[in-house]
Amino acid sequence: MFQKVISLMHNTIAALALVGQNVIVDHVINDKKHLVECLELLSTYPVTFVKVHCPIEELERREQERGDRPVGLAKSQMESVHANREYDLTVDTSKFNSQECALQIKRGQIITPSGSFVHMKNSLSSV
């Protein structure tokens, strides 16, 4: 069921892009299948793929503070979330608050469909 929901979300994002809507998505892509699906659906649209970074120590502190996630989830996802990824921009949430990160993204926004998504898709196609 979860896989179908994720796939539906990806297709919805593509449908919105197709009709000219600007879409901002906060999405943890920790599965290669989901990454490939996003690349296939979205690489022809102008995508700015942003790495939201934070040191593991800070992630673990936040995880403890929130109390709504299993202890160790952040650490277990750290490598899979960023494995084999290329990003157009990186923001560090340990140095900047969410508003400052949003402004960094807005200032550095890549608006052509030739960024990281195309490079990653081409890399997968050549393997």
Side-chain angles (χ1 to χ4, degrees):
M1 178 68 170
F2 179 72
Q3 298 293 330
K4 288 182 181 181
V5 171
I6 295 295
S7 186
L8 178 61
M9 180 179 73
H10 295 162
N11 281 279
T12 301
I13 295 164
L16 290 167
L18 177 66
V19 297
Q21 296 297 307
N22 294 322
V23 183
I24 298 172
V25 180
D26 181 356
H27 183 19
V28 176
I29 304 173
N30 60 355
D31 181 303
K32 185 176 180 179
K33 177 183 172 190
H34 295 155
L35 175 63
V36 169
E37 183 175 70
C38 284
L39 295 173
E40 289 296 323
L41 290 168
L42 302 171
S43 62
T44 58
Y45 299 103
V47 173
T48 302
F49 197 42
V50 180
K51 178 180 183 180
V52 179
H53 173 76
C54 186
I56 189 64
E57 298 79 21
E58 178 61 14
L59 287 174
E60 291 174 329
R61 185 195 68 74
R62 292 176 186 178
E63 186 175 73
Q64 287 285 336
E65 187 177 281
R66 288 181 182 134
D68 65 348
R69 295 174 187 156
V71 173
L73 180 64
K75 189 171 189 170
S76 72
Q77 289 183 338
M78 187 73 150
E79 287 187 32
S80 65
V81 168
H82 298 298
N84 303 309
R85 307 291 195 271
E86 292 181 37
Y87 296 95
D88 298 306
L89 298 168
T90 299
V91 294
D92 187 335
T93 63
S94 68
K95 296 179 181 176
F96 303 99
N97 66 35
S98 56
Q99 185 175 8
E100 292 166 329
C101 288
L103 288 172
Q104 288 178 11
I105 293 167
K106 184 178 179 182
R107 282 193 301 267
Q109 189 174 30
I110 310 300
I111 57 171
T112 62
S114 60
S116 62
F117 260 42
V118 171
H119 293 160
M120 286 188 289
K121 184 179 178 199
N122 291 342
S123 294
L124 287 174
S125 297
S126 65
V127 174

